[in-house]
Each structure stands twice: as structure tokens, then as C-alpha cells.
């Protein structure tokens, strides 16, 4: 279980994607960044569509159980599979991605 509070940097015009922290491998980080970057470019102004599309792509490519939260500022506590939790900064948003395959 992890407790965290994230606040995005001030809004920026570009949707730059940065890995903030997590317990994922470099390979999974690159995979997640590829999916998130592609989805963000297609859904820049729609957080709900962005989260849904990232989840769908991860579920189909890496197996079911992926969860995605995106926003400008939020707190949450999650239980996740070891090696699957990551936080990203993407433009004016922060995104938490994890797998809960129970």
C-alpha cells in the first residue's frame, strides 16, 4: 500500500512526459512512457479520455488489471502488484499508473 500526494507543475503548452517515481523496471518505464505519450498526443484536453485510453492499451498489451488516475492535484492510496507502480508528470497533469491483478 502506498500513500502519496502529487501536484502538477504549472500548466505548460507542451505535453512533456517525465517519469517522477515508481518501482518499475526500465523496460516497463519505456513501455508506459510510449503508451502515455501516444495517448496524450491524441487526447490533450480530455483527462478522462486519456486515462481510459491508457488503461485500455495497457490491459490489451500487458494483461488486465491496470489502473490509471490523472489530474492536476490529488491524493490516493493504492495496493498494487510489486514492480507495477509509477507516477508521471505530463504537461499540466500528474498520472499514477499501477496494476492491481487480484
Amino acid at each position: 500500500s502506498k500513500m502519496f500526494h502529487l501536484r502538477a507543475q504549472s500548466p505548460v503548452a507542451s505535453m512533456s512526459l517525465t517519469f517522477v517515481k515508481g518501482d518499475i523496471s526500465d523496460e516497463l518505464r519505456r513501455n508506459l512512457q510510449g503508451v502515455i505519450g501516444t495517448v496524450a498526443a491524441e487526447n490533450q484536453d480530455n483527462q478522462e479520455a486519456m486515462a481510459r485510453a491508457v488503461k485500455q492499451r495497457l490491459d490489451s498489451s500487458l494483461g488486465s488489471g491496470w489502473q490509471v488516475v490523472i489530474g492536476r492535484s490529488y491524493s490516493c492510496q493504492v495496493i498494487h502488484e510489486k514492480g507495477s507502480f509509477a507516477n508521471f508528470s505530463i504537461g499540466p497533469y500528474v498520472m499514477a499508473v499501477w496494476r492491481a491483478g487480484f
Side-chain angles (χ1 to χ4, degrees):
S1 156
K2 294 206 182 252
M3 179 69 168
F4 57 93
H5 176 79
L6 297 171
R7 183 170 300 280
Q9 301 298 318
S10 28
V12 293
S14 70
M15 292 294 281
S16 60
L17 174 62
T18 305
F19 173 71
V20 177
K21 65 179 179 177
D23 68 350
I24 58 175
S25 67
D26 287 343
E27 180 182 358
L28 181 54
R29 179 188 48 78
R30 286 189 296 272
N31 195 334
L32 293 174
Q33 285 178 303
V35 169
I36 294 166
T38 299
V39 167
E42 299 167 355
N43 300 281
Q44 288 189 22
D45 298 322
N46 189 331
Q47 295 174 55
E48 185 179 339
M50 195 184 308
R52 186 180 310 112
V54 168
K55 177 188 172 28
Q56 288 171 344
R57 290 183 190 201
L58 294 178
D59 282 347
S60 65
S61 65
L62 300 175
S64 65
W66 288 93
Q67 307 300 313
V68 179
V69 175
I70 185 169
R72 291 184 186 269
S73 177
Y74 57 86
S75 293
C76 63
Q77 185 171 357
V78 302
I79 297 174
H80 64 93
E81 284 186 11
K82 185 175 180 168
S84 76
F85 181 84
N87 289 317
F88 295 91
S89 168
I90 178 150
Y93 309 115
V94 286
M95 179 182 286
V97 180
W98 70 94
R99 190 171 188 195
F102 301 105

